[in-house]
Amino acid sequence: MGKVVAALSMSLDGFVADENDGVAELFGWYQNGEVEVPSADPRWVFHVTEASARFLKHSLAGAGALICGRRLFDRTDGWGGRHPAGCPVFVVSHSVPGGWPRDDSETSFHPDAIGALEAAQKVAGDRTVSVSTPTLTHQYLDAGLLDELVVSLVPVLLGTGISFFGAQEVTPIRLDDPEVIEGRGVTHLTFRVLR
Amino acid sequence: MGKVVAALSMSLDGFVADENDGVAELFGWYQNGEVEVPSADPRWVFHVTEASARFLKHSLAGAGALICGRRLFDRTDGWGGRHPAGCPVFVVSHSVPGGWPRDDSETSFHPDAIGALEAAQKVAGDRTVSVSTPTLTHQYLDAGLLDELVVSLVPVLLGTGISFFGAQEVTPIRLDDPEVIEGRGVTHLTFRVLR
């Protein structure tokens, strides 16, 4: 089975978005370089440094499924039905939003986090299941189901916002030393979760 | 004048100590390698990896003064009168503890943070003033007086504890991309504060 990976851009003080879900301070590295990296959605083309391109192409190519919470789904309008990673999307939500599911989108809705992960892993096969929401990351960490934390560390202190970590119940959680890729406006750190 | 630097070991979720001021999970890298690094206090000898030795020797050699809060001073019993970095210590405290100041110790007490920094900089000259307490770090960040943040990032999630960041009032604070030194059980990240 593929790896289960939580991957987010995070400020040095631990935030993945500001208080209004804004990510302008954190996503600058997606557009500050000379290497064009296409996504599955023609509206989204990244322009990153050589180093970040290596990181990003690897992430996009490896993605077999993506799990997110309802808040992120609503915020992005379900990525218009097609996530930039080009993989099926599994939304953890107590209710199915109006207009969904759609015939033209591989997006499904699941009432509980563990069920969503099982369904995502079935579809992903040997490819990576990517978790895009902090609250789900905490649940999978607590359940011992997360293999890697991928932190794209952005050199800024936001002061307030939505935290990546903080609500997992089982601590400490020990990690291996990270693989480090030094970009511009970002340092990509990939930590394996030790069990 | 020398740089003003806040340097701490921090968990990936932003804690510099656990809820009881414990640092066992964070200070392992000081004793997990083969290179002996002496300190100014013969009771403290570090054993670190080659990479961390480079980082640590540079830190110790460059230290011209150290500033801390009363809590850390009490917790360490004033480092027995001599900090491992071998430099004078400036304690920000509303009161002077019994038995202090001592003739055999370059430790002084200052009622306010900015005054302590001015006194420390005078003594340090061209050498670094090192700030060892989160609350003082926030004050110096807010006042635009901090030059660098040195985060020895430890691959662990503690869940709770004493945060490095979070109470600075002026945000966002933008930093330069870090210098990275990859140790064992730690990744040393040195960020310049942009103004």
Side-chain angles (χ1 to χ4, degrees), chain B:
Chain B
M1 221 152 38
K3 288 184 293 192
V4 183
V5 171
L8 283 168
S9 293
M10 180 181 96
S11 67
L12 180 60
D13 54 349
F15 299 108
V16 298
D18 68 25
E19 284 175 319
N20 305 312
D21 290 313
V23 290
E25 290 281 350
L26 298 173
F27 278 21
W29 68 269
Y30 280 111
Q31 299 295 345
N32 72 357
E34 46 295 315
V35 182
E36 188 172 298
V37 178
S39 80
D41 181 337
R43 295 171 305 170
W44 297 59
V45 179
F46 306 111
H47 298 86
V48 298
T49 59
E50 286 282 357
S52 286
R54 224 163 55 231
F55 169 82
L56 191 55
K57 285 176 182 172
H58 179 79
S59 303
L60 291 171
L66 185 125
I67 304 184
C68 70
R70 177 66 182 270
R71 178 179 171 128
L72 182 60
F73 175 85
D74 286 346
R75 169 84 187 169
T76 63
D77 214 359
W79 291 278
R82 184 156 175 78
H83 190 273
C87 63
V89 172
F90 296 76
V91 185
V92 179
S93 172
H94 292 298
S95 64
V96 176
W100 295 87
R102 284 167 32 182
D103 284 344
D104 65 344
S105 174
E106 292 182 296
T107 302
S108 57
F109 299 84
H110 305 265
D112 79 289
I114 304 296
L117 179 55
E118 284 169 358
Q121 284 185 301
K122 224 171 266 176
V123 168
D126 288 337
R127 301 174 81 187
T128 297
V129 175
S130 183
V131 182
S132 293
T133 295
T135 52
L136 294 171
T137 302
H138 307 156
Q139 289 179 63
Y140 297 143
L141 278 170
D142 281 336
L145 296 171
L146 202 79
D147 297 304
E148 281 182 5
L149 286 167
V150 180
V151 176
S152 289
L153 190 68
V154 177
V156 67
L157 301 175
L158 293 180
T160 56
I162 297 170
S163 295
F164 195 170
F165 304 112
Q168 58 286 349
E169 289 169 9
V170 185
T171 55
I173 295 167
R174 296 192 184 85
L175 314 169
D176 209 353
D177 281 314
E179 279 177 49
V180 180
I181 295 179
E182 298 182 52
R184 181 188 299 144
V186 67
T187 307
H188 306 286
L189 304 169
T190 299
F191 298 89
R192 200 161 53 84
V193 178
L194 302 178
R195 299 227 170 83

Side-chain angles (χ1 to χ4, degrees), chain A residues 105-188:
Chain A
S105 174
E106 291 182 297
T107 302
S108 58
F109 300 85
H110 305 264
D112 80 288
I114 305 297
L117 179 55
E118 285 168 359
Q121 285 184 301
K122 225 170 265 176
V123 167
D126 288 337
R127 303 173 81 187
T128 297
V129 175
S130 183
V131 181
S132 292
T133 295
T135 51
L136 295 171
T137 301
H138 308 155
Q139 290 180 63
Y140 297 142
L141 278 170
D142 281 336
L145 297 172
L146 203 80
D147 297 304
E148 281 181 6
L149 286 167
V150 180
V151 177
S152 289
L153 190 68
V154 177
V156 67
L157 301 175
L158 293 180
T160 56
I162 297 169
S163 295
F164 195 170
F165 304 114
Q168 57 285 349
E169 289 168 8
V170 185
T171 54
I173 294 167
R174 296 192 184 85
L175 314 169
D176 209 352
D177 281 315
E179 281 176 47
V180 180
I181 295 179
E182 297 182 53
R184 182 188 299 145
V186 68
T187 307
H188 306 286

Side-chain angles (χ1 to χ4, degrees), chain A residues 49-102:
Chain A
T49 59
E50 286 282 357
S52 286
R54 222 163 57 231
F55 168 82
L56 191 55
K57 285 176 182 173
H58 179 79
S59 302
L60 292 170
L66 184 126
I67 304 184
C68 70
R70 177 65 182 271
R71 179 178 170 129
L72 183 59
F73 175 85
D74 286 347
R75 171 84 187 168
T76 62
D77 214 359
W79 291 280
R82 184 157 175 77
H83 190 274
C87 63
V89 172
F90 296 76
V91 186
V92 178
S93 171
H94 292 298
S95 63
V96 176
W100 295 87
R102 284 166 31 182

